[in-house]
Amino acid sequence: MSWLYRAGGSSFSYYDPGYPAILRETARPPFMLYVRGRLPDQGRPAVAIVGTRYPTGRGLDAAVSLGMEAAAAGVAVVSGLARGIDSGAHRGALAAGGRTFAVLGRGVDAVYPPANKELAARMVASGGGIASEYPPGTPPSRWTFPERNRIRAGLCRSTVVVEAPGVSGALISAAFALEEGRDVYVAASCMGGLRSAGSDALAADGAVTLACFGDIMEDWRGARGRNGAGDRKSVV
């Protein structure tokens, strides 16, 4: 708490009014969230954009474009601040003047990879934020990164898998989203690529493919028209 005070951060327990309602309704919400900057606006839907740390050029371009399009539509972009697709989505959102948020697999007192320190600072300065369920000072481990994926998906109405190989943390995020009845999409431009075995499998199982972020907006508008609360697609 002393570190958060010095850094201008904050913390929220499950019972605090500032704790995200959309995360509270998930099956396994974190008891605490430690935050630098802000959390996504509870009154507006957010989208998670996820994928491999080692994308192709096509995958990175798709992540940047989707981040820009989401931000231009006023939708917050959530990812994990990792290299590759995550960083591309964050940078795209910032380029369009939007807000973007990261969920870390370690304490918020440090950024990994270190090369993304400047990106993290820009995110916070632009009205976004960085969050973790782990207290400042907690180092990353093999299990903290998979665990953070449930929070990344849980904060969002929809999750977009841009480019993911057969074994990928992005697929863990997609699985958590599906368990919660949230939308899961796959970027059509990356299908059939060298690093897309996992995202191709999602599409084969029924995940919706999208050409641009406007496809998600159309789905959201259609869901409101059907029932007001929003029908959510799931992979069957």
Side-chain angles (χ1 to χ4, degrees), residues 29-172:
F31 180 70
M32 292 293 298
L33 284 177
Y34 302 92
V35 183
R36 288 170 62 188
R38 299 177 51 181
L39 290 168
D41 185 348
Q42 296 197 48
R44 299 179 64 86
V47 63
I49 300 177
V50 300
T52 178
R53 286 176 168 82
Y54 305 102
T56 63
R58 182 169 56 176
L60 189 57
D61 288 346
V64 172
S65 294
L66 286 167
M68 292 179 68
E69 292 166 5
V75 176
V77 173
V78 177
S79 199
L81 201 57
R83 60 172 60 92
I85 297 298
D86 288 15
S87 296
H90 292 310
R91 293 185 188 280
L94 290 174
R99 291 177 177 173
T100 183
F101 303 82
V103 181
L104 304 185
R106 59 158 305 137
V108 295
D109 55 309
V111 170
Y112 182 83
N116 276 349
K117 285 183 179 180
E118 181 270 340
L119 175 58
R122 288 177 57 205
M123 291 165 61
V124 172
S126 300
I130 301 167
S132 175
E133 67 178 314
Y134 306 112
T138 304
S141 72
R142 291 183 62 185
W143 57 269
T144 57
F145 284 102
E147 281 290 282
R148 67 89 183 265
N149 290 327
R150 80 187 196 284
I151 303 173
R152 183 164 62 171
L155 286 169
C156 298
R157 175 169 177 174
S158 299
T159 293
V160 181
V161 179
V162 175
E163 190 174 45
V167 178
S168 171
L171 301 182
I172 298 174

